Amino acid sequence: MDFLKELWRFMRVRKKFWLLPILIMMVVFGGLVVLTKGSAIAPFIYTLF
């Protein structure tokens, strides 16, 4: 959690709020990769793309 606090402080002080959507998309795609690796949800996620 310290990393997230420090990252938020960095974005707030340096006015780098444009980084937030990039980080959110990276987390979403990372979660999709984890979910599609050998799970029952994989065929449904593949149909989205």
Side-chain angles (χ1 to χ4, degrees), residues 5-29:
K5 289 179 186 177
E6 188 174 339
L7 182 64
W8 176 248
R9 195 175 312 129
F10 168 78
M11 289 191 306
R12 192 178 65 212
V13 169
R14 302 197 194 252
K15 307 291 190 233
K16 302 275 187 193
F17 293 112
W18 55 270
L19 287 172
L20 196 59
I22 296 170
L23 293 173
I24 290 172
M25 291 308 296
M26 288 174 61
V27 167
V28 167
F29 283 129

